[in-house]
């Protein structure tokens, strides 16, 4: 794999850390600003909404900018947002910093996925995307626990300063290692928008919302579930989250490896197994060892679907994949928000702490049904990856780029 993927993974590590570390630091931030913990939870919600809105916005704004330069600008925005958060004198300024940092999230992963895929041969594209996303998964194993420990020991502001430093490393790595990839000739905003009207692209995004939403339905409430149902001590939750993160790392690498060989079967298998494991979690959550194993499996199966889902969008939006790729990243966060809300509803309804697992199983099962539908439509129409022209798009610049891009092999620095 090219060293440029390491630079993208470092940026992904920083973004993953800043996204999730706030969950472990909410009590400290709330106490510092004199707000309630639920009010401080706006720092999580605001970030998620910023990703959903920022992904298409920043991608459209960057359509006339070479991808390497856009990635550097996004890392600069990420650094600025984390510095604002670290130095914020009021809660409102802190929230602003979170939103500023979140605006870089979706576009970075969206554009980064396209760049990663262009750096390798066609048969290694999913593996390259998975390598970049490894930074995000490793953040859950190393960055988030370490950032929480530093924040609780030395102050939460130090954590955000360190995260800003990670952004600087990512920026320097991109500047030094990522080649200058030219924008595809003839591709304009209208072509990018037209790709979003492709039924297969929309189905892939719906799978993303529902499939990854299934994961978040369970893990959003993992702390009260494990302490109140499984009987773990509060201090044990950190290690359970590490298990979850290790599962994510393994699943991401496996998903990337096998998606290059058999993308749709990988989706069928990972989503089906995820739905089954989430359903079983309502039972295994009552036993410590079984609960720990299930948590690792949820992380592995959830992230095993990430590289094939992202590659599915790139394949079906061939010729104008950048906006679709970025919007799909926003779909992950939309799924997170939807699942957390639905999980809260069933708990509030008195169905118990394990009820969100049932919600997750339904969401993942629904994603599997959409995957089967997508595969059936593809077989019926005879359209394969890289050959689907978006609805409303005219065969021309966007469509013309698809075939050469697939045949070109690894991109070279120009």
């Amino acid at each position: 794999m090219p060293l440029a993927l390491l630079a993208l993974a470092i940026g992904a590590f920083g973004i993953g850390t800043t996204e999730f570390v706030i969950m472990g630091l909410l009590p400290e931030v709330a106490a510092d600003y004199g707000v309630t913990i639920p009010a401080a939870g706006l720092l999580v919600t605001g970030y998620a909404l910023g990703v959903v809105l920022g992904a298409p916005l920043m991608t459209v704004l960057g359509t006339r900018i070479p991808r390497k330069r856009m990635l550097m600008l996004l890392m600069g925005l990420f650094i600025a947002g984390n510095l604002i958060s670290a130095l914020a004198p009021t809660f409102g300024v802190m929230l602003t910093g979170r939103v500023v940092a979140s605006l870089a999230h979706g576009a970075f992963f969206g554009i980064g996925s396209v760049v990663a895929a262009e750096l390798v041969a066609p048969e290694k594209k999913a593996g390259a995307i998975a390598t970049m996303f490894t930074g995000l998964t490793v953040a859950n194993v190393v960055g988030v626990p370490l950032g929480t420990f530093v924040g609780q020991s030395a102050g939460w502001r130090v954590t955000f300063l360190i995260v800003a430093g990670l952004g600087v490393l990512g920026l320097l790595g991109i500047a030094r290692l990522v080649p200058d990839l030219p924008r595809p000739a003839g591709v304009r905003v209208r072509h990018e928008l037209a790709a979003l009207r492709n039924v297969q692209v929309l189905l892939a995004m719906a799978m993303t919302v529902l499939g990854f939403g299934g994961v978040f339905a369970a893990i959003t409430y993992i702390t009260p579930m494990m302490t109140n149902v499984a009987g773990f001590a509060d201090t044990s939750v950190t290690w359970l989250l590490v298990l979850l993160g290790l599962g994510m790392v393994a699943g991401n690498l496996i998903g990337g490896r096998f998606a290059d060989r058999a993308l749709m079967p990988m989706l069928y298998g990972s989503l089906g197994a995820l739905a089954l494991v989430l359903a079983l979690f309502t039972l295994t959550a009552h036993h410590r060892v079984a609960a720990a194993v299930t948590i690792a499996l949820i992380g592995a199966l959830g992230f095993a679907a990430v590289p094939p889902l992202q590659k599915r969008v790139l394949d079906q939006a061939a010729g104008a994949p950048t906006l679709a790729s970025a919007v799909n990243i926003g779909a992950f966060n939309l799924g997170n928000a939807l699942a957390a809300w639905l999980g809260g509803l069933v708990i509030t309804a008195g169905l118990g702490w394990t009820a969100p697992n049932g919600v997750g199983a339904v969401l993942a099962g629904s994603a599997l049904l959409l995957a089967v539908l997508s595969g059936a439509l593809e077989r019926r129409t005879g359209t394969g990856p890289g050959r689907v022209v978006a609805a409303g798009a005219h065969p021309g610049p966007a469509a013309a780029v698809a075939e050469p891009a697939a045949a070109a092999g690894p991109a070279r620095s120009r």
Side-chain angles (χ1 to χ4, degrees):
M1 288 291 179
L3 281 176
L5 294 178
L6 175 61
L8 295 175
I10 292 173
F13 178 84
I15 291 174
T17 300
T18 204
E19 179 182 14
F20 295 113
V21 76
I22 189 63
M23 298 177 186
L25 298 176
L26 280 183
E28 286 74 19
V29 174
D32 199 5
Y33 288 121
V35 300
T36 65
I37 290 180
L42 289 173
L43 298 173
V44 178
T45 305
Y47 189 97
L49 292 177
V51 174
V52 174
L53 297 175
L57 175 63
M58 299 304 298
T59 303
V60 168
L61 291 176
T63 52
R64 297 184 179 275
I65 301 175
R67 287 168 178 162
K68 174 179 178 177
R69 188 181 306 169
M70 189 61 191
L71 287 171
M72 293 173 64
L73 289 174
L74 290 169
M75 287 310 300
L77 190 64
F78 170 79
I79 295 166
N82 281 283
L83 287 177
I84 292 171
S85 295
L87 304 175
T90 65
F91 181 77
V93 176
M94 169 69 169
L95 181 58
T96 300
R98 291 286 292 168
V99 172
V100 169
S102 73
L103 293 177
H105 183 126
F108 181 87
F109 280 108
I111 296 172
S113 294
V114 176
V115 171
E118 289 183 354
L119 291 171
V120 298
E123 68 274 10
K124 295 182 178 180
K125 290 182 183 296
I129 294 171
T131 300
M132 183 190 70
F133 273 93
T134 297
L136 177 64
T137 56
V138 170
N140 285 279
V141 180
V142 179
V144 173
L146 184 59
T148 300
F149 174 77
V150 170
Q152 293 172 343
S153 304
W156 61 267
R157 295 180 187 273
V158 177
T159 296
F160 283 97
L161 287 174
I162 292 174
V163 172
L166 290 173
V168 172
L169 286 178
L171 174 60
L172 293 176
I174 291 169
R176 179 69 179 85
L177 299 174
V178 175
D180 291 314
L181 300 173
R183 293 187 301 111
V187 176
R188 298 291 183 267
V189 173
R190 67 179 181 274
H191 301 131
E192 298 279 357
L193 292 173
L196 297 179
R197 297 198 296 273
N198 182 339
V199 172
Q200 289 286 12
V201 171
L202 295 176
L203 282 172
M205 291 179 180
M207 285 182 248
T208 297
V209 172
L210 297 173
F212 207 68
V215 174
F216 254 72
I219 68 172
T220 298
Y221 302 98
I222 193 172
T223 297
M225 192 189 309
M226 290 298 94
T227 55
N228 295 323
V229 178
F232 281 103
D234 291 343
T235 53
S236 299
V237 174
T238 298
W239 298 107
L240 292 173
L241 293 176
V242 170
L243 279 177
L244 176 71
L246 289 172
M248 289 178 175
V249 173
N252 178 62
L253 294 176
I254 292 171
R257 181 179 181 85
F258 286 96
D260 277 322
R261 301 179 182 179
L263 190 150
M264 293 308 291
M266 186 66 208
L267 270 183
Y268 300 150
S270 57
L271 291 174
L274 177 62
L276 177 61
V277 169
L278 285 167
L280 290 174
F281 198 23
T282 59
L283 302 176
T284 60
H286 294 271
H287 308 279
R288 293 184 185 180
V289 174
V293 172
T294 306
I295 288 169
L297 286 174
I298 290 172
L301 293 169
F303 260 83
V306 172
L309 281 171
Q310 193 70 4
K311 186 173 184 290
R312 180 73 173 169
V313 170
L314 293 179
D315 286 344
Q316 300 299 332
T322 310
L323 180 58
S325 176
V327 172
N328 196 48
I329 299 300
F332 282 104
N333 283 267
L334 181 59
N336 298 349
L338 173 65
W341 175 66
L342 291 174
L345 284 183
V346 294
I347 291 173
T348 304
L351 298 180
W353 290 111
T354 62
N357 301 329
V359 173
V362 171
L363 291 175
S366 300
L368 174 60
L369 291 177
L370 290 181
V372 173
L373 173 62
S374 177
L377 287 175
E378 187 171 85
R379 289 190 297 273
R380 189 179 71 180
T381 58
T383 54
R387 295 180 180 273
V388 179
V389 179
H394 299 286
V401 176
E403 295 300 329
R412 293 190 296 271
S413 176
R414 290 169 172 83

